[in-house]
């Protein structure tokens, strides 16, 4: 049961407020609680407040942390939000319920094979390098239509698009661009917005917001 005056209650209230201002249904926005680098003990309080969508950055960390938690809370939905190495595709397909970081042709091929082998077809967001930053993962905007076509041909279920805007710059134009790209390519989901800007992202169409610090505090 949700407790009053907790970080989770505050974030949920902020989401509801942003949805009201945007004339959207709060039920259309999924809050993904990012638990990377936080121990299982930090995650349990959110589970006890009936939160079920959680995100991790790395396959290895999720493998170490989540089997025991899932045994106790089998209805958890686990999201991979960090970059995925092709050689970890099969592990990711077995463990995660949503992948937010499909960003290149080699990963399309690896995930296609992993889905065929595991019998699980995990919904994927295509990560877009929305700010043209070489150091970040993501598909270049100009390459996006071809990657989407390749993913569809490989029978990978596409949930939508994902982005991480450049730091230190107003994020709204980047969120608006991702929203347009998703619409142009016939995709419903927009995974965008983190602790510092999720309300702005919701105003501009986010369907999934990835919030860590506002829920768990700063990581060591």
């Amino acid at each position: 049961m949700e407790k009053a005056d907790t970080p989770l209650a505050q974030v949920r209230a902020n989401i509801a407020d942003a949805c009201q201002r945007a004339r959207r249904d709060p039920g259309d926005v999924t809050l993904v609680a990012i638990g990377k680098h936080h121990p299982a003990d930090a995650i349990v309080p959110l589970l006890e407040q009936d939160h079920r969508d959680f995100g991790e950055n790395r396959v290895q960390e999720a493998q170490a942390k989540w089997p025991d938690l899932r045994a106790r809370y089998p209805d958890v939905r686990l999201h991979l939000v960090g970059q995925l190495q092709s050689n970890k595709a099969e592990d990711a397909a077995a463990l995660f319920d949503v992948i937010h970081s499909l960003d290149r042709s080699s990963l399309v091929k690896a995930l296609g094979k992993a889905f065929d082998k595991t019998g699980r077809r995990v919904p994927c967001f295509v990560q877009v390098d929305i700010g043209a930053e070489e150091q970040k993962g993501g598909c270049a905007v100009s390459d996006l239509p071809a990657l989407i076509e390749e993913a569809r041909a490989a029978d990978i279920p596409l949930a939508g698009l994902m982005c991480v805007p450049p730091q230190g710059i107003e994020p709204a134009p980047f969120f608006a661009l991702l929203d347009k790209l998703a619409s142009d390519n016939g995709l419903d989901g927009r995974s965008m917005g983190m602790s510092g800007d999720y309300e702005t992202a919701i105003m501009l169409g986010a369907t999934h917001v990835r919030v860590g610090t506002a829920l768990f505090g700063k990581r060591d």
Side-chain angles (χ1 to χ4, degrees):
M1 180 179 295
E2 182 174 324
K3 301 175 184 178
D5 301 323
T6 65
L8 177 60
Q10 183 60 62
V11 171
R12 284 177 169 169
N14 292 344
I15 289 173
D17 180 65
C19 286
Q20 183 177 29
R21 286 183 281 132
R23 298 182 179 180
R24 298 182 61 196
D25 182 347
D28 293 337
V29 178
T30 298
L31 169 61
V32 182
I34 306 300
K36 65 178 182 179
H37 306 323
H38 291 287
D41 288 348
I43 290 169
V44 169
L46 273 72
L47 288 163
E48 291 177 342
Q49 295 174 74
D50 296 327
H51 191 74
R52 290 297 181 266
D53 285 274
F54 291 85
E56 295 287 346
N57 258 40
R58 298 174 66 244
V59 172
Q60 297 95 317
E61 183 177 351
Q63 287 173 322
K65 184 190 304 182
W66 278 99
D68 288 344
L69 290 173
R70 272 191 147 159
R72 296 161 59 189
Y73 301 93
D75 55 342
V76 158
R77 290 175 296 274
L78 199 57
H79 301 245
L80 178 65
V81 300
Q83 279 194 284
L84 176 60
Q85 296 175 325
S86 295
N87 64 358
K88 295 291 184 182
E90 189 174 329
D91 289 338
L95 181 62
F96 289 93
D97 302 295
V98 187
I99 293 170
H100 291 242
S101 49
L102 176 59
D103 63 353
R104 61 195 186 278
S105 180
S106 61
L107 188 54
V108 168
K109 294 180 175 68
L111 284 172
K113 291 179 181 177
F115 292 171
D116 290 340
K117 185 173 182 179
T118 63
R120 300 187 77 220
R121 307 208 81 79
V122 179
C124 294
F125 287 86
V126 175
Q127 183 175 353
V128 182
D129 183 11
I130 205 77
E133 299 174 280
E134 291 184 4
Q135 74 274 20
K136 281 187 181 176
C139 169
V141 171
S142 59
D143 296 335
L144 182 60
L147 187 64
I148 289 173
E149 183 178 351
E150 185 177 356
R152 286 173 170 156
D155 197 23
I156 292 176
L158 293 181
L161 302 181
M162 181 272 234
C163 75
V164 181
Q167 287 187 328
I169 301 175
E170 168 58 44
F174 299 99
F175 294 151
L177 175 57
L178 194 81
D179 180 60
K180 182 179 185 302
L181 291 170
S183 294
D184 289 348
N185 287 281
L187 297 170
D188 295 329
R190 289 108 166 108
S191 172
M192 58 189 193
M194 297 186 289
S195 287
D197 54 24
Y198 65 90
E199 292 168 89
T200 300
I202 289 168
M203 297 291 291
L204 291 164
T207 61
H208 293 68
V209 292
R210 311 179 306 272
V211 178
T213 302
L215 292 171
F216 298 105
K218 291 187 176 180
R219 295 180 294 274
D220 293 334

